[in-house]
Amino acid sequence: MYTPLRIVALLFPNVTQLDLTGPAQVFARFPEAEVHFAWRDLEPVPTDSGFSILPTITLEAAPQADLLFVPGGQGAFEVFDDDAALGFIAEQAAGAQYVTSVCTGSFALGAAGLLQGRRATSHWASLDMLEHFGAVPVSQRVVQDGKIITGAGVTSGIDFALTVAAEVYGKDVAQEIQLYIEYDPAPPFDAGSPSRPGADPQAVQERIEAMTKLRSPLVAQAAERLRSQS
């Protein structure tokens, strides 16, 4: 018999869908778990992949999470100016047993004031900017610091969710889920991160520069807003 686990995932426009749906596929196999996808209303929410996802509950009606989950994408930076979304993250985090994210969802955690002095990860192209929120950026697939668990970019969401499964239910359950979803990655190329031999260093640098130009003003503004509130 397992203790019921209530998972609340924040859903927002311009979410990177695999940041959300990868972990969600693993969450769906958690024993005695219920999963809610929350946004301000129940209208379809557009992802960055050309299709929309339906929320299952509104922010206002969402129950207190045992595990709060925030996915990433450019939309994670757009919630910096959304008081309802940031307030929801902060309020849910206060009562949650685990506060989690994948990819640039960690920036939404940071903007909500949850990463000060915490080790955390994110997509490699934006990782270093977490310092603006007082976080300690760590270039690892999954990073746990107390009740904060963060995953790196996009596909790491499955690794992240399996790590959570092992944390909550034990290694045997996590391995059973891994087997069930046939998570046995064997990519055709060895270019999946900047450290891999197939990764083009110039492409890496160009991507970092592009994301820094796009996102650093938003991050700096959100960090300054957070400081002014403290």
Side-chain angles (χ1 to χ4, degrees):
M1 179 68 68
Y2 295 99
T3 301
L5 185 75
R6 186 173 289 156
I7 301 171
V8 177
L10 181 66
L11 179 60
F12 48 79
N14 293 321
V15 64
T16 294
Q17 65 84 19
L18 191 56
D19 288 356
L20 177 68
T21 57
Q25 191 64 55
V26 179
F27 293 159
R29 305 302 305 173
F30 281 12
E32 302 295 331
E34 61 181 67
V35 186
H36 302 273
F37 301 94
W39 187 232
R40 60 176 67 256
D41 54 44
L42 299 180
E43 295 299 311
V45 176
T47 72
D48 66 356
S49 301
F51 62 87
S52 296
I53 296 175
L54 286 173
T56 61
I57 201 164
T58 64
L59 300 180
E60 184 176 305
Q64 171 59 55
D66 299 309
L67 187 150
L68 173 66
F69 172 59
V70 182
Q74 186 58 29
F77 296 87
E78 294 165 3
V79 303
F80 288 176
D81 291 325
D82 188 327
D83 290 340
L86 285 186
F88 177 80
I89 293 172
E91 290 167 12
Q92 284 281 341
Q97 184 178 357
Y98 300 100
V99 177
T100 72
S101 68
V102 163
C103 197
T104 53
S106 54
F107 282 86
L109 298 185
L114 302 174
L115 294 185
Q116 182 67 43
R118 298 278 196 169
R119 299 167 66 253
T121 193
S122 190
H123 190 284
W124 57 263
S126 299
L127 177 62
D128 287 347
M129 287 185 281
L130 280 177
E131 290 181 333
H132 285 274
F133 294 118
V136 180
V138 179
S139 181
Q140 291 179 4
R141 193 78 167 164
V142 181
V143 174
Q144 182 168 5
D145 187 334
K147 73 175 189 176
I148 307 289
I149 306 175
T150 53
V154 194
T155 61
S156 69
I158 297 177
D159 300 61
F160 149 81
L162 290 171
T163 299
V164 171
E167 172 75 16
V168 177
Y169 302 106
K171 183 178 178 181
D172 288 348
V173 169
Q175 288 181 323
E176 182 180 348
I177 295 171
Q178 180 181 6
L179 177 62
Y180 183 87
I181 65 173
E182 198 175 352
Y183 182 54
D184 185 26
F189 310 106
D190 195 7
S193 79
S195 64
R196 304 311 301 167
D200 181 348
Q202 182 175 347
V204 169
Q205 187 58 37
E206 288 175 355
R207 185 65 175 172
I208 291 173
E209 290 173 357
M211 290 299 98
T212 300
K213 182 178 180 180
L214 174 66
R215 293 170 171 171
S216 63
L218 300 174
V219 172
Q221 183 178 14
E224 178 57 34
R225 178 185 180 186
L226 190 62
R227 284 192 293 269
S228 69
Q229 294 172 346
S230 61

